[in-house]
Amino acid sequence: MPQALQLPESLQALHTLAYNLKWSWTPSTQELFAQINPTLWKESRSNPVEVLKNTEESRLTELAADESFVAKVNAEHKALEAYLSDTAPSLAGEVGQGLAKGIESLSGPIAYFSMEYGITESLPIYAGGLGVLAGDHTKSASDLNIPFVGIGMMYRSGYFEQSLDENGLQQSLYPERDFSNLPVLPVLDGEGQPLILDIPLPHRKLFFRIWEAKVGRSTLYLLDTQLNTNREEDRELTAKLYGGDTTTRICQELLIGVGGVRALQAMGVNASVYHLNEGHAAFVGIERVRQAIEQDGSLSLEQAIEQVKGSQVFTTHTPVPAGHDRFMTDMVRPYFQALLPENQHGNIQDLLELGLEYKDHMNSLFCMTVLALHTCRACNGVSKIHGDVSRKMWQHLWPQSEADDVPIGHITNGIHAATWTSTTYSKLFDQYIGEGWESHLVDDAAWNKVNEIPAGALWDARQACKAALIDFARYRVRLQRSIRNESAEALEAANSILDPNAFTIGFARRFAPYKRATLIFSDSERLSAILNNSERPVQILFAGKAHPHNREGQALIQTIHDFAKKPEFAGKIVLLENYDMAVGRHLVQGVDLWLNNPTPPQEASGTSGQKVAFNGGVNLSILDGWWDEGYNGENGWAIGDGKLFDQVQQQNDHDVNSMYSLLENDIVPMYYNRDADGVPQEWIAKVRKAMQTLISPFNTHRMVRDYLTDIYAAN
Ligand SMILES: *Cc1c(COP(=O)(O)O)cnc(C)c1O
């Protein structure tokens, strides 16, 4: 059991501040923790619990006697309490009123099921975009005062920590976390002991406990199977995110789906809506149908399914067929046999068919997405194009319908503004959009006021954010080199990589081959000419992990590593290791241009380019996912004009040519075209257009509002 933190009397409030992740979008609270112990703050990846646990008593005593520090602690604590108890609508005007009405109509909290949550880098229970989206959703639900609980998993090692060896070969490390260093507390039973629940698996029970993480007004319940009462392999179910084999995966999915429903019941949470974020948790439906029949023996299976469906909704996240979990049907059957009581065994075949892609096919696979589509009253993709692609992709489930009539809609993804906006820009928004600018996030007109921000102020903010990114990149590269035992000169040289005045491009994402991370290297001479123009220098920062089983992805990393070592690119192409929310935050806040060039139409939405718009950055992207909706001809650049080719090579050639010529003829010249004060007026006009048109449509306040009015409350 984690001990309460030992804190001097006058600093007790730090405990509350550390154990509510509201700090992760509250810069003033972050400053407080940094001030306690700047080194530890940095080394712990911004982890307040670790800072408080490991700071020397003498330092805490000193701070406890520092009146101005104590006053700050109390002010932060008061602000948190005020946030938690505030009942006023958090969005200005009519939008706020509409929101309040939607919230009133809910009979209970939204229960959101997700295999990953990206809340902050020091809580490593996420891998990438899906998790970051879930985290941003959780935070906006809190800000908007929508009752919300998230069900997830408390991984001992999470995804993996990436480092590269001297040849650019990815090493994946799985450090085990001590949960007492994390901002989670165990859920207890009536006797004050950790609450232990179980679900049936073939020939055994799977036991699990629950950790609670507070995220503002939202709560995450994170399931954990590391208990001595479990078999060895069952304890491993919550060790790694997306690790193991199909047996691991199916058991994890039973845990989050069946175990998640039972956890909510055991804690007395009466959810009004069960939201399945991706198909992973679709067993929620099976457990709820089982319970419905157990409670009311007169219900037919069909009636039970209809009843359950009435309060279940589903968001699908990938247009890539291999991204959907599929199992051999015979593999699933024994799990259903274990789950259902004898008197319901007659239903097993019908329940299995809910997940079958092709009902009349002997060997049809059981697909979690299909199960979700069949057991939810509302289903959506995450951008307009992705909605289209999904309707086509799943049309065979509705053979009588035209693709347009397949019941999958879309709500375009967004980002949580306060998490991803640098304090530099946040201050400008407070000044020009209005104090508490986040309350205007769903108000297009409010963002016309960015035109009132002086060009000089926008430019200074841009330069300051870029300088912060370069400081961070140098620190990280030095660290990477020291871990590889490189020479003292190499470590020293890290201090002068990248030029704070050069045009800076960012590219960071999962290294899945369809993302085409190395596309820009197609013609290395042409690239070198762009980067090495002495009047108009350009540099590129890369980051991203490849799944440890994905060799192709790892080869892409090596290619970038090799290019970065070539003399003409040294110090200008920089690969940052271990892409996580911290690396992501620095990149999206610091770069001038965000590059995104996946093979269309395989990007479900993408969100990292949205983060850039909040920080004075501009997008150069394929017209896919969110950018197809965001791009208006003036607020950034589109690679390839949305043209689609059947041949991969043709698509690549077309897209990379478009990218090079945009950089050569439009983007870089515009950036370096300066007025007498050294300000690139035309560039800043572009930045303003991006802010004016992209901030209010592409944030999670807007997104969660849409989920509330179009899905949660629309029944
Ligand atoms: C925003 C973010 C993502 C989402 O990235 P896309 O490539 O745009 O889908 C993934 N990982 C991290 C760390 C992020 O911050």
Side-chain angles (χ1 to χ4, degrees):
M1 277 274 289
Q3 295 294 306
L5 297 166
Q6 301 292 317
L7 294 169
E9 188 62 36
S10 63
L11 300 181
Q12 285 300 322
L14 284 173
H15 190 282
T16 311
L17 289 166
Y19 278 90
N20 190 318
L21 286 147
K22 176 67 173 60
W23 68 260
S24 67
W25 69 104
T26 311
S28 51
T29 315
Q30 293 165 22
E31 277 163 31
L32 197 66
F33 287 115
Q35 192 184 339
I36 296 173
N37 194 331
T39 314
L40 207 48
W41 177 249
K42 200 165 175 178
E43 287 174 357
S44 69
R45 290 201 228 179
S46 313
N47 181 342
V49 175
E50 236 179 283
V51 167
L52 293 180
K53 264 181 75 177
N54 298 328
T55 294
E56 306 237 335
E57 212 180 308
S58 58
R59 171 69 181 150
L60 291 175
T61 313
E62 177 191 358
L63 288 167
D66 176 341
E67 275 177 32
S68 87
F69 185 80
V70 172
K72 267 201 248 175
V73 171
N74 292 335
E76 290 304 311
H77 185 222
K78 227 172 122 188
L80 175 62
E81 301 279 292
Y83 172 88
L84 295 176
S85 59
D86 191 4
T87 54
S90 29
L91 291 174
E94 270 176 44
V95 189
Q97 317 265 310
L99 196 69
K101 241 188 248 157
I103 294 169
E104 234 168 76
S105 76
L106 297 174
S107 63
I110 309 303
Y112 183 89
F113 291 74
S114 180
M115 286 298 253
E116 42 171 317
Y117 289 89
I119 306 288
T120 177
E121 54 271 23
S122 59
L123 185 59
I125 55 170
Y126 66 96
L130 182 72
V132 173
L133 180 84
D136 282 5
H137 192 127
T138 304
K139 290 172 182 174
S140 275
S142 166
D143 288 344
L144 299 182
N145 221 343
I146 296 172
F148 186 94
V149 299
I151 305 292
M153 309 270 262
M154 191 62 207
Y155 302 101
R156 225 149 69 230
S157 293
Y159 195 43
F160 70 97
E161 303 277 319
Q162 176 199 52
S163 66
L164 301 183
D165 72 9
E166 62 276 16
N167 300 315
L169 205 67
Q170 175 176 284
Q171 314 291 307
S172 22
L173 303 170
Y174 292 92
E176 297 210 345
R177 264 73 187 204
D178 174 352
F179 293 169
S180 74
N181 283 335
L182 297 177
V184 295
L185 291 170
V187 171
L188 304 178
D189 64 15
E191 264 101 61
Q193 294 304 309
L195 177 66
I196 310 277
L197 302 174
D198 61 79
I199 63 169
L201 292 183
H203 316 299
R204 65 196 191 272
K205 280 181 176 174
L206 172 66
F207 296 94
F208 64 94
R209 62 193 291 190
I210 309 166
W211 298 87
E212 178 180 311
K214 291 196 160 71
V215 186
R217 295 187 271 223
S218 301
T219 304
L220 296 184
Y221 292 115
L222 304 168
L223 314 183
D224 169 16
T225 64
Q226 199 195 9
L227 294 168
N228 290 334
T229 40
N230 282 330
R231 314 173 169 182
E232 171 71 26
E233 78 253 35
D234 288 349
R235 270 178 255 155
E236 294 305 300
L237 292 174
T238 51
K240 293 177 185 176
L241 171 56
Y242 306 138
D245 57 13
T246 48
T247 303
T248 315
R249 182 61 74 90
I250 201 171
C251 291
Q252 287 178 324
E253 295 186 342
L254 284 154
L255 175 63
I256 192 168
V258 179
V261 169
R262 294 186 182 189
L264 290 174
Q265 286 165 335
M267 294 182 297
V269 177
N270 262 318
S272 61
V273 177
Y274 294 76
H275 185 170
L276 314 182
N277 185 47
E278 197 50 299
H280 304 132
F283 290 134
V284 164
I286 302 293
E287 169 66 1
R288 293 184 65 221
V289 165
R290 179 193 72 77
Q291 291 192 9
I293 293 173
E294 195 169 78
Q295 275 157 24
D296 179 354
S298 71
L299 278 185
S300 70
L301 179 62
E302 264 153 38
Q303 287 170 324
I305 293 169
E306 276 314 301
Q307 180 183 317
V308 161
K309 205 170 169 176
S311 52
Q312 268 178 215
V313 304
F314 169 49
T315 303
T316 177
H317 285 270
T318 174
V320 181
H324 298 266
D325 277 333
R326 291 178 170 85
F327 303 107
M328 300 295 289
T329 308
D330 284 342
M331 183 183 169
V332 184
R333 196 184 311 273
Y335 293 98
F336 281 16
Q337 280 163 347
L339 178 62
L340 297 186
E342 289 281 344
N343 65 355
Q344 287 192 38
H345 275 203
N347 291 337
I348 288 178
Q349 188 56 31
D350 289 334
L351 289 173
L352 283 169
E353 284 185 10
L354 286 175
L356 293 198
E357 264 195 275
Y358 300 95
K359 287 216 171 54
D360 43 5
H361 197 286
M362 290 281 292
N363 298 315
S364 182
L365 295 172
F366 183 95
C367 173
M368 296 301 281
T369 305
V370 174
L371 176 61
L373 289 168
H374 282 148
T375 53
C376 290
R377 69 166 160 85
C379 304
N380 70 285
V382 291
S383 70
K384 188 164 174 293
I385 292 186
H386 181 232
D388 276 342
V389 170
S390 300
R391 283 188 289 278
K392 292 202 182 87
M393 190 160 157
W394 300 110
Q395 192 188 354
H396 56 281
L397 302 180
W398 287 271
Q400 322 309 354
S401 300
E402 297 292 319
D404 283 352
D405 300 326
V406 168
I408 303 176
H410 80 273
I411 289 182
T412 304
N413 283 344
I415 61 120
H416 184 253
T419 297
W420 298 105
T421 307
S422 62
T423 46
T424 312
Y425 279 94
S426 185
K427 280 181 192 149
L428 282 180
F429 296 156
D430 268 335
Q431 197 179 341
Y432 290 92
I433 307 302
E435 194 65 37
W437 57 274
E438 289 111 311
S439 69
H440 299 289
L441 277 170
V442 191
D443 175 1
D444 293 344
W447 293 88
N448 292 332
K449 292 190 215 155
V450 293
N451 292 315
E452 293 162 23
I453 311 179
L458 282 172
W459 179 241
D460 290 347
R462 188 86 289 287
Q463 295 302 82
C465 288
K466 198 195 308 193
L469 165 62
I470 290 177
D471 271 354
F472 174 79
R474 288 174 178 172
Y475 161 72
R476 292 292 284 249
V477 169
R478 207 160 52 235
L479 202 64
Q480 291 168 198
R481 291 181 180 177
S482 83
I483 290 168
R484 282 197 294 267
N485 284 319
E486 292 192 21
S487 67
E489 297 83 68
L491 297 196
E492 183 56 33
N495 295 331
S496 54
I497 59 164
L498 300 164
D499 171 358
N501 291 309
F503 183 65
T504 304
I505 302 176
F507 182 104
R509 49 191 41 82
R510 213 156 37 87
F511 279 101
Y514 78 87
K515 306 242 186 191
R516 298 191 297 187
T518 57
L519 189 67
I520 200 167
F521 298 103
S522 304
D523 181 343
S524 75
E525 275 176 37
R526 198 163 167 190
L527 179 64
S528 172
I530 295 171
L531 267 56
N532 290 306
N533 180 326
S534 58
E535 314 261 277
R536 307 192 304 217
V538 175
Q539 55 199 4
I540 314 179
L541 284 141
F542 284 92
K545 295 177 177 177
H547 190 279
H549 296 155
N550 187 338
R551 281 166 184 273
E552 244 184 299
Q554 292 175 50
L556 295 172
I557 294 177
Q558 261 184 311
T559 304
I560 297 173
H561 171 89
D562 292 346
F563 273 103
K565 285 204 139 172
K566 289 181 195 266
E568 70 268 35
F569 294 132
K572 297 188 162 199
I573 289 180
V574 171
L575 182 50
L576 295 177
E577 292 171 16
N578 208 28
Y579 181 41
D580 67 353
M581 289 180 74
V583 173
R585 202 168 49 244
H586 283 93
L587 283 171
V588 298
Q589 294 180 353
V591 300
D592 299 305
L593 187 80
W594 192 253
L595 177 65
N596 185 32
N597 52 23
T599 307
Q602 301 197 49
E603 181 92 310
S605 166
T607 56
S608 36
Q610 300 173 352
K611 299 168 189 165
V612 167
F614 289 74
N615 294 288
V618 181
N619 278 273
L620 168 60
S621 173
I622 290 286
L623 280 176
D624 196 6
W626 80 279
W627 191 231
D628 180 65
E629 293 160 56
Y631 177 63
N632 69 0
E634 297 183 322
N635 54 4
W637 286 274
I639 299 171
D641 304 320
K643 247 179 124 161
L644 297 182
F645 295 86
D646 290 337
Q647 298 292 325
V648 179
Q649 196 54 48
Q650 257 183 317
Q651 185 80 52
N652 291 352
D653 290 346
H654 174 79
D655 291 343
V656 78
N657 269 317
S658 159
M659 189 157 91
Y660 286 142
S661 53
L662 284 169
L663 285 168
E664 289 159 347
N665 305 321
D666 299 293
I667 299 174
V668 181
M670 185 187 290
Y671 180 82
Y672 282 104
N673 180 15
R674 305 294 165 87
D675 70 6
D677 300 322
V679 178
Q681 291 290 345
E682 210 188 337
W683 182 264
I684 293 295
K686 206 52 124 183
V687 167
R688 280 213 188 87
K689 278 271 186 282
M691 287 179 165
Q692 187 187 345
T693 56
L694 301 175
I695 289 181
S696 82
F698 299 106
N699 63 76
T700 41
H701 281 21
R702 188 277 307 153
M703 180 189 87
V704 172
R705 193 278 313 255
D706 287 352
Y707 274 103
L708 179 74
T709 52
D710 300 354
I711 294 186
Y712 299 155
N715 198 16

